[in-house]
Amino acid sequence: MKYLLLIHSNPITWGHPSFLYTDEGQALPKKARDALEAQLNSLLDELDTSGELVTAVPLEPPSSTRVVRVRKGVRATTDGPYSEAKEQLAGVFLIDVATPERAEAIAATIPEAQFVAVEVRPASVFD
């Protein structure tokens, strides 16, 4: 089953990996920040080796977002993120794992989970 792990972050402190740009992340000693970066790299290597990683993509800041809507055949494009919120989507992992519990376990090892939300969403497959 495929799952999308959606990493949320504060758009005011945008950067990747996002945990390094949060107030909490910046308050950590350099050794702790380096350990989190190593944890992320190790996770990516592990998922790649196991074949569970489909892709991982950091996203550009919400300020570069374009929203497209079509109403009555007319396309309208606006700047900025769709919603006004303290946290915006910062990046995604698409994984292919055997169980929802494995997806949650992977989400828990993404360093951002210590500072912001990591949403675990099953991905549907078109028939």
Side-chain angles (χ1 to χ4, degrees):
M1 176 88 186
K2 289 190 172 110
Y3 290 86
L4 195 58
L5 307 181
L6 304 150
I7 301 167
H8 298 269
S9 189
N10 182 338
I12 294 169
T13 58
W14 207 262
H16 297 289
S18 62
F19 61 85
L20 293 178
Y21 296 90
T22 63
D23 290 340
E24 298 89 347
Q26 290 181 341
L28 293 172
K30 182 175 180 351
K31 186 175 181 178
R33 290 192 311 272
D34 290 346
L36 287 173
E37 282 190 276
Q39 178 182 333
L40 176 61
N41 291 329
S42 176
L43 173 62
L44 290 169
D45 289 344
E46 172 194 336
L47 295 175
D48 189 46
T49 300
S50 71
E52 294 173 307
L53 181 65
V54 177
T55 192
V57 181
L59 300 175
E60 292 298 317
S63 60
S64 65
T65 300
R66 306 282 288 163
V67 177
V68 177
R69 294 178 178 86
V70 178
R71 302 294 184 267
K72 297 182 181 180
V74 177
R75 183 179 76 196
T77 304
T78 57
D79 293 334
Y82 175 73
S83 63
E84 295 293 327
K86 282 185 161 182
E87 293 181 347
Q88 300 287 340
L89 191 58
V92 297
F93 282 43
L94 180 59
I95 57 174
D96 193 352
V97 296
T99 66
E101 292 79 16
R102 175 65 179 147
E104 291 172 14
I106 292 169
T109 61
I110 296 173
E112 278 86 357
Q114 297 176 48
F115 305 101
V116 295
V118 177
E119 182 179 344
V120 178
R121 186 176 297 185
S124 296
V125 177
F126 290 111
D127 291 331

